[in-house]
Amino acid sequence: MIDPKLKRALASLLDTEIVGSTPVAGGDINEACALDTAKGRFFLKTNRAAHAAHMFRTEADGLRALQQAGALRIPEVLHHGQAGSRAFLLLAFVREGRPGSAFWTTFGRQLAHLHHRPQPYFGRSLLNISGPPDRP
């Protein structure tokens, strides 16, 4: 069940009614669910940890950078932030599917394309990384 403050915040951000949610398995650190709304389905990750808002901001930055590379299909980052005690990351929902016979060949080519993009640095740009939030 989604925290009521978070549910209100998400409904406002999406400008639609949230009609339900279904837990999604696969992670150990965060809670995740498929969020059902009048506008369709979205993917939501939440966490109560003090550093979670920073973690989700950094994840959103990384997903956007991968999306800009144009090599792999990356879910669209819609919102990230904090509502009450919950930090969140809201993404477009990507339906689970079965890989076709050419999946690994295509994925290998896409990954190679991603790694052939020249960069002036190793890893993420130091200009795009902010430090962890200040601790009291």
Side-chain angles (χ1 to χ4, degrees):
M1 181 169 173
I2 298 173
D3 174 86
K5 285 184 182 179
L6 178 58
K7 186 176 181 178
R8 284 191 300 274
L10 293 169
S12 177
L13 286 169
L14 293 169
D15 191 29
T16 189
E17 179 185 5
I18 295 172
V19 296
S21 64
T22 306
V24 175
D28 295 328
I29 298 171
N30 305 299
E31 294 178 24
C33 70
L35 189 65
D36 296 309
T37 75
K39 289 185 176 178
R41 192 165 243 204
F42 300 90
F43 180 76
L44 176 68
K45 288 172 71 169
T46 67
N47 195 307
R48 290 184 194 268
H51 68 281
H54 172 73
M55 177 178 66
F56 287 145
R57 182 176 59 245
T58 301
E59 183 174 350
D61 289 346
L63 288 169
R64 286 182 181 121
L66 286 169
Q67 192 175 45
Q68 287 174 352
L72 301 167
R73 181 175 176 214
I74 305 295
E76 180 184 0
V77 175
L78 302 172
H79 299 283
H80 61 87
Q82 182 117 13
S85 65
R86 305 295 294 192
F88 68 92
L89 175 63
L90 184 66
L91 305 173
F93 187 82
V94 177
R95 291 181 182 259
E96 185 176 355
R98 291 193 156 183
S101 60
F103 174 81
W104 290 109
T105 302
T106 301
F107 178 73
R109 286 186 181 125
Q110 291 171 334
L111 192 60
H113 176 74
L114 178 67
H115 284 91
H116 277 57
R117 292 179 51 89
Q119 299 293 323
Y121 50 83
F122 177 77
R124 299 245 346 254
S125 167
L126 295 178
L127 300 175
N128 293 332
I129 297 175
S130 58
D134 293 334
R135 297 265 162 92

